[in-house]
Each structure stands twice: as structure tokens, then as C-alpha cells.
Amino acid sequence: MFEVKRVGDNRLDIEMSGKLDAEQMGKALDALTEQADGIENGVMLFDVVDYHLPSLGAIGVELGRFPKMIHFIRQFDRAVVLTDKNWIKTVSEFEGKLIPGLEIKGFGRDQKEEAEAWLETGRSS
């Protein structure tokens, strides 16, 4: 499952669980770009409920949309990842170090209020 919801003018909330195949990945990426339309200096909250690595076909779909995903990422300044898996927090924060202009921080799923407060501290608008 991959659900995207726009919260206000500059925030996306994304809930992820299970394993994505190629078709689901295409729909997920379409939902992300559609919901992000018009966002600048945005923030994202990822709630990772039960993560499984995507299928190889799903990874291929994502790589095929790389230019569009670069544009999408540039619309956001901060992201939080809510997860109960320490390795997902670590990988997410490392990924943030590799993406210029995007700061990513991991929190436990029970720390949603703290995560939302962290998102708001960096808001320029």
C-alpha cells in the first residue's frame, strides 16, 4: 500500500506498507507528483508501517522516471520518516545527506508529534 495525502499548501503525508510491484510503483509515483503540484519549500512525512523492498520491476519504473523524481525532490526542504526499524531511520538519514537541499530525519512511529514539530522548525514560510 502507498497512500499520498496533501496536508495544507506545502506538506505531503505518505503512508507505506507492504511490497510495491511495477504497477503499484507507477501509481505511487503518479500520486506523489500529482499531489506535489505547486508545492515549494515543502515538507513530507513518511509513515513506514511495514516495509518490504520493492520488486525489481518497481525499481525499474522508478529509475525510468528519474528526471521527474529529481524535480519532485527539489520541491521539498525537509522530510521525516516514521518507522519502528532503526535501519530504515539510518538509511533515510543517509539518503538525506546525498540529496542536496533535502534534510531527512528518522523518528519512531510513536514520535509523530515530535516529528511534526521538527518539520515545522525549518519552515521558511
Side-chain angles (χ1 to χ4, degrees):
M1 176 190 67
F2 192 97
E3 294 183 2
V4 181
K5 183 168 86 172
R6 186 153 176 171
V7 180
D9 292 334
N10 290 315
R11 177 173 156 181
L12 294 183
D13 282 7
I14 300 106
E15 185 175 332
M16 301 169 47
S17 66
K19 182 174 186 164
L20 294 177
D21 62 20
E23 181 181 349
Q24 293 165 327
M25 180 64 82
K27 289 178 181 178
L29 297 177
D30 288 344
L32 281 172
T33 55
E34 179 182 308
Q35 292 295 316
D37 187 40
I39 290 180
E40 293 180 18
N41 302 319
V43 296
M44 292 181 280
L45 184 144
F46 287 88
D47 187 4
V48 182
V49 179
D50 181 31
Y51 181 76
H52 298 272
L53 292 174
S55 71
L56 288 177
I59 293 169
V61 168
E62 188 173 21
L63 291 174
R65 296 188 187 192
F66 190 73
K68 190 182 253 188
M69 291 295 93
I70 292 295
H71 173 73
F72 167 79
I73 293 286
R74 289 185 177 155
Q75 293 176 254
F76 296 88
D77 298 330
R78 287 184 148 208
V80 296
V81 177
L82 302 176
T83 179
D84 292 329
K85 306 285 185 195
N86 284 331
W87 72 269
I88 294 175
K89 288 180 199 173
T90 301
V91 169
S92 298
E93 290 178 358
F94 179 73
E95 185 177 11
K97 293 180 188 325
L98 299 176
I99 302 171
L102 180 64
E103 189 176 5
I104 302 174
K105 186 168 170 112
F107 291 87
R109 290 194 68 234
D110 61 344
Q111 297 177 302
K112 185 174 181 179
E113 287 182 21
E114 183 180 343
E116 289 176 323
W118 182 82
L119 281 176
E120 292 301 317
T121 61
R123 300 298 296 269
S124 58
S125 55

